[in-house]
Amino acid sequence: MTPIKTKYALLHVADRTGITEFAYALVELGFKLVASGGTAAALRQAELEVLDAREPADDAAGPLGLLHPTIVSGVTADRNNPAETGALDRAGGLPFDLVVVNLYPLSQLIDDAKLSQAEVLAYIDLASSALLRAAAVNFRNVICVCDPEDYQPVLDCLRQYDRVTTDRRQTLAAKAFHYCAYYDTTIAQFLGGKWDKLPDELVIGLKKTAEM
């Protein structure tokens, strides 16, 4: 089987800080961009070529449309497993080398007393958080990024070494799981609960507001 040389980056961000500049740099490094929704619109407005992550038919799936099997398998496929890469190729999926995902800051919405519970819950991004976790699990094959502050360090590594080391990938994966854990904890604390006693598992989410 001929090795796949084209590199693909999946971009889906709520915080678009620096995403256009990052995307331009990725294109210069030989990446093809895949995006949807507002991220795709922002990149196209900046005159970048973008492949659609979602087909029009996926819109019927609503907020879960981004979890199309070809997208998910493109994030999770083990590049060293011919069965997985072969299945991905036959399905017409793209092997993602880089996944950039960040989520809508729910904590800001929760502080808005004007929003109902249903309105807040409607902002929960099930698909994006699942893709970020999937990329983090597959960190040996996929670079996962959830923080705009990591854009430049990742670019520096790619420019200098044409790769990101496994240790650095693992650090980014751990950061992604901490990020998702805080996101989930924010939801859990918002929903609350009237307990006769504390549950066996209780996580408190903390966010740094200043350097020590």
Side-chain angles (χ1 to χ4, degrees):
M1 182 177 177
T2 304
I4 300 174
K5 297 180 180 179
T6 305
K7 296 179 289 187
Y8 293 96
L10 176 63
L11 312 176
H12 191 75
V13 294
D15 179 0
R16 299 189 189 117
T17 302
I19 193 62
T20 300
E21 295 80 2
F22 187 48
Y24 268 114
L26 290 175
V27 170
E28 290 175 354
L29 289 167
F31 281 84
K32 288 192 175 182
L33 309 178
V34 181
S36 68
T39 305
L43 298 178
R44 289 187 175 118
Q45 189 174 9
E47 300 184 346
L48 284 160
E49 184 176 345
V50 181
L51 300 174
D52 287 314
R54 292 169 55 135
E55 296 294 334
D58 295 335
D59 291 338
L64 296 180
L66 200 58
L67 292 181
H68 190 281
T70 56
I71 296 292
V72 175
S73 57
V75 173
T76 61
D78 182 351
R79 308 302 193 273
N80 296 314
N81 186 325
E84 292 188 20
T85 56
L88 178 64
D89 187 52
R90 289 191 296 274
L94 304 175
F96 294 109
D97 302 277
L98 175 68
V99 172
V100 183
V101 171
N102 60 57
L103 309 170
Y104 199 91
L106 290 177
S107 57
Q108 295 180 13
L109 287 177
I110 291 170
D111 291 336
D112 186 347
K114 297 180 181 179
L115 295 178
S116 68
Q117 182 187 75
E119 288 172 322
V120 171
L121 294 179
Y123 276 89
I124 296 176
D125 194 338
L126 302 173
S128 297
S129 59
L131 287 177
L132 182 58
R133 288 179 171 92
V137 168
N138 197 23
F139 71 87
R140 294 184 183 278
N141 295 288
V142 180
I143 305 164
C144 67
V145 181
C146 62
D147 184 351
E149 291 190 5
D150 289 316
Y151 293 169
Q152 192 59 51
V154 167
L155 288 175
D156 291 342
C157 288
L158 292 173
R159 284 169 175 155
Q160 187 168 357
Y161 306 110
D162 195 33
R163 65 186 181 90
V164 175
T165 65
T166 302
D167 286 347
R168 180 61 180 158
R169 288 168 180 255
Q170 183 171 326
T171 297
L172 290 169
K175 186 172 186 176
F177 276 115
H178 280 296
Y179 178 76
C180 289
Y182 176 76
Y183 186 80
D184 291 344
T185 302
T186 300
I187 298 168
Q189 291 177 203
F190 169 67
L191 293 175
K194 296 180 180 179
W195 303 305
D196 295 328
K197 62 178 182 178
L198 288 177
D200 292 337
E201 291 84 23
L202 180 64
V203 179
I204 298 175
L206 302 175
K207 190 174 184 67
K208 183 176 71 174
T209 59
E211 297 290 347
M212 296 291 288

